[in-house]
């Protein structure tokens, strides 16, 4: 009997101990403390991802250098965690979903920093649904793991919602209050860039915002500070002298110039115009420290020597930013004029509009058929919606193209196939065609794309990515040469604008740091005309001048906006934020004469009027009839 009583006693004590522990871990105070700890550590984790996983830098940021900003960021994360807990009705499941989300965010931020030297922006989160692109970039293993984590988190949320029905009335009231408070807090945080926002004012007390460098912005204000800074913002700040009278004067001035130029082009047959934005096309050997056993772009160079214009193009970014370069080339608008937080107009600005002036709309006025081709899916950067806004008649993608050959099992549709698609479009139309092609063949990853490459580094340890990239662009170079031979056989004059959007993010950090920052933003470009053989080598040019240059030497009619850009190109052939190419030299700031300053400000005023203003000068973007 004694042994039995002893066992019973131990069970009772054990049960009481479990009950005591359960009360401790389920008490409101414990939950609050655990939530605060989780939020604090998650903010520290995000800071680690921003500081290339340097514990000492993250520690100093959080506990020495920027304590106030770190705590403000933690406050926003607290609202997010509170929202997930109250939404699910479960402290445990809400935190599991929160930790999973923050974990994936930190990994994504670290990867983007490594590949593009840029942090994650709020607008990047829309890419989470671009499953095909995610799989291609991160590989099947990590993609499947990510999907599994997301699926488990969603399944847990559904189960928690089902269980939340059993919560007591008191618990439901607390849950509702927390839900409302968290929603209000997150909504107020989303207005970070609005005037008199209290959260922004608290940041401003100690924050050093560096708009021209988002990388430094995130470093100086913390991951959360930089993230909040890049929330919704007006496309462009209002210039001081903006008014209807000022815009009317500018429109009259440049519309008159355009009309005079167009008078010389009447009754002339319009040429085909082809834009080819080649993914990551650039010369690897322009970088100091990169030397291959032979040049992979000799065919490109041979075409460039026969082109009206050729040289180097200034890209806004290193390692990415394709859609922004495309935006500049099609619209004639420099990203350097837009607000720093307007990181991707294709997803942040254009989908909100019903139409937007561009070379597409201008050529449609001249009775061109306008076709966009992208040998990938239509959802990337919301291209399907954006192309409708810009005025394309048709959009051919990987599903609707006729030519779909690939150069390898791990590769994308080849550039040779894409060029054949362009030829088909022009040959099947009686009208002049404008075809805009955004290629995919040379898109990363490169490591496993080809089994062997004849191009190898001669001065560094062998790199499969660089070797395969060199082979990739050699295929593009060869396909371009063949394409030029094909268009020379067409009955209609054809103009081809070919450019690389940015450098690939495959070069070692020590090589990137060794080179001038301007060099890492220069790709190759050319403008070829099957009839015009006058050569104008242009050392450096920005892509937003491409469409205007075509109107300068061909029968394509000008808009007043084209006429303005042609004047600006003479004094400032290339510029982005903190990068100005003036008089054959690179400058971080530029000094203008009075006349030059007036021209530059006219351009600023017209861009503002279009993207954020009252559209007083809309007619300047049209061809005068």
């Amino acid at each position: 009997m004694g042994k039995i009583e002893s066992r019973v006693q131990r069970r009772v004590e054990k049960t009481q101990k479990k009950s005591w522990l359960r009360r401790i871990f389920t008490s409101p105070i414990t939950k609050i403390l655990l939530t605060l700890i989780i939020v604090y550590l998650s903010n520290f984790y995000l800071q680690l991802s921003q500081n290339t996983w340097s514990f000492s830098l993250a520690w100093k940021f959080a506990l020495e250098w920027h304590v106030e900003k770190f705590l403000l960021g933690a406050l926003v994360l607290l609202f997010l965690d509170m929202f997930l807990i109250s939404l699910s009705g479960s402290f445990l499941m809400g935190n599991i979903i929160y930790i999973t989300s923050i974990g994936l965010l930190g990994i994504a931020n670290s990867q983007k920093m490594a590949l593009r030297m840029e942090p994650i922006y709020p607008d990047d989160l829309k890419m989470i649904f671009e499953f095909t692109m995610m799989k291609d970039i991160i590989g099947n293993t990590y993609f499947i793991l990510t999907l599994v984590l997301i699926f488990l988190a969603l399944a847990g949320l559904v189960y928690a919602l089902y269980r939340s029905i059993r919560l007591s009335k008191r618990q439901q009231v607390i849950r509702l209050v927390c839900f409302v408070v968290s929603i209000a807090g997150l909504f107020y945080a989303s207005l970070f860039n609005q005037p008199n926002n209290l959260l922004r004012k608290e940041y401003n007390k100690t924050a050093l915002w560096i708009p021209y460098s988002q990388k430094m912005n995130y470093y100086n204000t913390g991951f959360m500070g930089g993230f909040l800074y890049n929330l919704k913002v007006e496309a462009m700040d209002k210039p001081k002298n903006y008014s209807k009278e000022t815009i009317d004067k500018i429109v009259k001035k440049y519309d008159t110039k355009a009309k005079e130029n167009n008078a010389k082009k009447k009754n002339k047959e319009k040429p085909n115009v082809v834009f080819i934005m080649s993914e990551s096309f650039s010369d690897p050997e322009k970088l100091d420290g990169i030397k291959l056993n032979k040049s992979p772009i000799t065919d490109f160079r041979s075409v460039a020597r026969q082109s009206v214009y050729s040289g180097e193009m200034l890209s806004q970014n290193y390692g990415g930013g394709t859609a922004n370069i495309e935006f500049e080339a099609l619209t004639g608008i420099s990203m350097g004029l837009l607000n720093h937080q307007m990181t991707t107009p294709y997803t942040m600005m254009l989908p909100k509009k019903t139409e937007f002036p561009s070379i597409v709309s201008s050529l449609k006025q001249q009775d061109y058929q306008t076709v966009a081709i992208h040998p990938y899916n239509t959802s990337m950067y919301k291209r399907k919606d954006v192309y409708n806004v810009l005025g394309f008649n048709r959009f051919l993608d990987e599903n609707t193209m006729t030519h779909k050959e690939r150069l390898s099992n791990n590769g994308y549709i080849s550039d040779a196939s894409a060029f054949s698609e362009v030829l088909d479009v022009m040959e099947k139309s009686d009208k002049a065609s404008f075809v805009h092609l955004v290629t995919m063949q040379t898109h990363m990853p490169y490591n496993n794309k080809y089994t062997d490459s004849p191009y190898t580094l001669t001065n560094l340890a062998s790199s499969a990515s660089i070797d395969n990239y060199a082979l990739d662009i050699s295929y593009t170079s060869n396909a371009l040469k063949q394409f030029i031979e094909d268009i020379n056989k067409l009955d209609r004059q054809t103009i081809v604008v070919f450019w690389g959007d940015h450098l690939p993010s495959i070069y070692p950090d020590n090589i990137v740091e060794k080179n001038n920052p301007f060099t890492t933003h220069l790709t190759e470009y050319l403008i070829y005309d099957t009839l015009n053989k006058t050569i104008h080598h242009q050392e450096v040019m920005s892509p937003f001048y491409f469409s205007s240059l075509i109107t300068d030497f061909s029968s394509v009619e000008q808009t007043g906006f084209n006429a303005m850009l042609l004047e600006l190109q003479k004094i400032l052939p290339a510029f982005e934020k903190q990068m100005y190419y003036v008089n054959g030299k690179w400058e971080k700031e530029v000094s203008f004469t009075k006349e030059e300053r007036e021209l530059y400000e006219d351009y600023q005023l017209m861009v503002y009027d279009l993207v954020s203003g009252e559209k007083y000068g809309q007619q300047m973007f049209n061809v005068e009839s």
Side-chain angles (χ1 to χ4, degrees):
M1 287 293 293
K3 289 182 178 180
I4 295 174
E5 289 176 358
S6 178
R7 287 176 186 172
V8 171
Q9 181 65 29
R10 283 198 299 270
R11 287 180 182 175
V12 170
E13 289 175 354
K14 192 173 182 180
T15 301
Q16 289 175 340
K17 186 176 181 181
K18 284 184 179 179
S19 178
W20 177 74
L21 288 172
R22 187 180 294 111
R23 283 197 299 272
I24 290 177
F25 283 105
T26 57
S27 71
I29 294 176
T30 302
K31 288 181 178 180
I32 291 172
L33 288 174
L34 284 174
T35 298
L36 293 175
I37 291 170
I38 289 170
V39 166
Y40 190 91
L41 291 177
S42 66
N43 197 20
F44 190 81
Y45 164 77
L46 290 175
Q47 199 59 40
L48 276 172
S49 75
Q50 185 61 39
N51 292 110
T52 60
W53 305 110
S54 171
F55 185 87
S56 61
L57 284 176
W59 178 272
K60 289 179 180 177
F61 183 95
L63 297 173
E64 296 180 29
W65 297 338
H66 304 287
V67 178
E68 300 91 340
K69 292 186 282 293
F70 185 83
L71 292 176
L72 287 170
L75 175 62
V76 178
L77 290 174
L78 176 62
F79 284 129
L80 176 61
D81 195 17
M82 187 190 303
F83 165 75
L84 293 172
I85 292 171
S86 56
L87 174 67
S88 62
S90 167
F91 174 79
L92 177 62
M93 189 51 60
N95 273 303
I96 288 175
I97 296 172
Y98 172 81
I99 291 169
T100 302
S101 302
I102 297 298
L104 293 174
L105 179 62
I107 293 170
N109 185 60
S110 175
Q111 285 296 303
K112 191 180 178 189
M113 286 291 292
L115 294 173
R116 289 180 50 181
M117 296 190 294
E118 275 192 328
I120 285 285
Y121 301 130
D123 205 58
D124 290 334
L125 299 184
K126 298 174 184 177
M127 297 290 288
I128 195 171
F129 299 108
E130 303 290 348
F131 294 126
T132 306
M133 176 61 80
M134 283 177 62
K135 180 173 70 68
D136 290 338
I137 292 176
I138 67 176
N140 290 331
T141 302
Y142 288 111
F143 177 70
I144 293 172
L145 179 60
T146 301
L147 286 185
V148 169
L149 288 174
I150 293 173
F151 173 78
L152 290 175
L154 290 175
L157 175 61
V158 172
Y159 178 70
L161 286 170
Y162 171 73
R163 290 288 303 271
S164 68
I165 300 172
R166 305 178 186 179
L167 294 175
S168 66
K169 184 177 181 180
R170 178 175 174 275
Q171 289 173 321
Q172 294 286 17
V173 170
I174 294 173
R175 177 189 180 190
L176 178 61
V177 170
C178 290
F179 184 78
V180 171
V181 170
S182 63
I183 284 287
L186 291 172
F187 175 75
Y188 191 77
S190 73
L191 303 176
F192 189 76
N193 290 311
Q194 298 301 310
N196 301 315
N197 182 279
L198 296 178
L199 181 60
R200 175 65 179 268
K201 285 185 175 181
E202 285 302 311
Y203 264 99
N204 287 346
K205 289 178 181 178
T206 57
L208 175 62
W209 303 106
I210 304 181
Y212 60 81
S213 172
Q214 293 289 11
K215 179 180 176 182
M216 290 303 299
N217 211 21
Y218 274 62
Y219 279 148
N220 289 337
T221 64
F223 176 87
M224 287 304 300
F227 193 84
L228 292 168
Y229 182 78
N230 282 280
L231 288 169
K232 182 181 177 182
V233 70
E234 192 61 56
M236 188 174 172
D237 292 332
K238 184 178 180 180
K240 292 180 181 178
N241 55 339
Y242 177 70
S243 67
K244 186 177 187 303
E245 292 72 24
T246 304
I247 296 298
D248 286 344
K249 288 179 183 177
I250 296 172
V251 171
K252 183 178 180 180
K253 177 181 178 180
Y254 292 104
D255 273 357
T256 300
K257 287 188 177 183
K259 193 175 293 185
E260 291 172 355
N261 293 330
N262 290 336
K264 306 169 188 175
K265 305 179 181 184
K266 295 298 182 183
N267 302 319
K268 290 185 178 181
E269 185 182 57
K270 295 291 189 289
N272 293 321
V273 178
V274 180
F275 273 19
I276 301 173
M277 186 168 73
S278 183
E279 172 62 37
S280 300
F281 188 89
S282 65
D283 185 357
E285 295 186 300
K286 80 172 60 184
L287 292 177
D288 186 13
I290 297 293
K291 182 64 179 175
L292 297 167
N293 60 329
K294 55 183 176 178
S295 173
I297 60 170
T298 52
D299 288 332
F300 169 85
R301 296 294 184 202
S302 69
V303 175
R305 285 192 291 271
Q306 306 168 53
S307 298
V308 182
Y309 288 94
S310 64
E312 294 180 308
M313 187 212 77
L314 176 61
S315 177
Q316 185 204 19
N317 292 311
Y318 167 80
T322 297
N324 290 350
I325 299 303
E326 184 180 5
F327 169 79
E328 289 190 330
L330 292 176
T331 65
I333 293 174
S334 168
M335 289 290 297
L337 298 185
L338 304 183
N339 270 327
H340 309 279
Q341 300 100 313
M342 180 55 62
T343 54
T344 315
Y346 262 33
T347 57
M348 299 173 71
M349 181 175 71
L350 292 186
K352 300 174 185 177
K353 300 181 181 294
T354 55
E355 59 181 8
F356 197 85
S358 65
I359 184 177
V360 190
S361 57
S362 173
L363 292 179
K364 280 186 75 173
Q365 288 181 321
Q366 299 173 59
D367 200 31
Y368 273 72
Q369 74 155 338
T370 56
V371 180
I373 302 175
H374 181 45
Y376 201 61
N377 66 59
T378 63
S379 61
M380 282 297 298
Y381 294 111
K382 295 188 175 180
R383 278 198 176 93
K384 188 173 183 179
D385 297 331
V386 168
Y387 287 164
N388 283 332
V389 172
L390 293 177
F392 281 103
N393 297 129
R394 282 192 293 156
F395 177 19
L396 302 176
D397 67 345
E398 62 182 351
N399 294 318
T400 54
M401 290 172 62
T402 302
H403 305 274
K404 303 179 183 181
E405 292 77 16
R406 300 169 189 258
L407 297 175
S408 69
N409 292 332
N410 297 320
Y412 302 93
I413 292 176
S414 72
D415 287 352
S417 293
F419 294 164
S420 295
E421 200 76 27
V422 174
L423 279 169
D424 282 358
V425 169
M426 293 189 293
E427 289 174 341
K428 292 177 181 178
S429 175
D430 295 329
K431 289 184 176 183
S433 301
F434 172 63
V435 186
H436 172 60
L437 167 64
V438 180
T439 72
M440 277 298 292
Q441 175 200 297
T442 47
H443 199 287
M444 66 177 296
Y446 309 103
N447 194 41
N448 297 314
K449 191 175 286 189
Y450 304 108
T451 56
D452 188 36
S453 171
Y455 300 92
T456 57
L457 288 166
T458 60
N459 60 333
L460 292 173
S462 180
S463 165
S465 289
I466 296 177
D467 294 350
N468 280 342
Y469 168 71
L471 178 58
D472 234 352
I473 59 175
S474 74
Y475 285 138
T476 297
S477 183
N478 180 260
L480 174 66
K481 185 178 181 180
Q482 181 60 53
F483 179 66
I484 294 299
E485 292 176 5
D486 291 337
I487 65 169
N488 278 321
K489 299 172 186 175
L490 296 176
D491 294 332
R492 187 185 293 271
Q493 175 190 8
T494 301
I495 298 169
V496 176
V497 185
F498 176 97
W499 73 95
D501 53 357
H502 54 75
L503 268 68
S505 56
I506 56 176
Y507 301 111
D509 291 343
N510 63 316
I511 294 293
V512 174
E513 293 166 3
K514 182 179 180 180
N515 283 268
N516 187 308
F518 302 118
T519 305
T520 59
H521 287 256
L522 294 175
T523 66
E524 318 309 308
Y525 88 92
L526 59 79
I527 302 178
Y528 181 88
D529 186 348
T530 55
L531 292 186
N532 190 338
K533 300 306 177 184
T534 305
I535 308 299
H536 302 282
H537 178 74
Q538 181 72 43
E539 289 184 355
V540 181
M541 189 185 298
S542 282
F544 46 85
Y545 291 122
F546 288 157
S547 57
S548 295
L549 279 175
I550 291 171
T551 70
D552 192 40
F553 67 80
S554 76
S555 58
V556 174
E557 294 183 53
Q558 282 181 12
T559 65
F561 191 62
N562 292 145
M564 171 190 285
L565 279 169
L566 287 171
E567 293 296 314
L568 184 63
Q569 192 264 339
K570 294 174 184 176
I571 64 168
L572 194 58
F575 75 92
E576 287 291 350
K577 291 180 175 71
Q578 295 277 299
M579 293 185 287
Y580 299 90
Y581 190 73
V582 189
N583 298 323
K585 295 189 299 185
W586 286 105
E587 306 286 351
K588 288 191 175 182
E589 295 181 0
V590 60
S591 297
F592 290 116
T593 65
K594 182 180 178 182
E595 292 76 15
E596 291 171 345
R597 171 62 62 184
E598 181 180 335
L599 173 58
Y600 183 71
E601 289 178 352
D602 285 351
Y603 179 49
Q604 286 181 306
L605 283 162
M606 290 310 304
V607 171
Y608 173 79
D609 184 60
L610 176 64
V611 302
S612 296
E614 301 299 324
K615 297 180 177 57
Y616 298 129
Q618 185 80 21
Q619 71 185 71
M620 189 178 173
F621 298 89
N622 300 326
V623 174
E624 291 285 326
S625 57

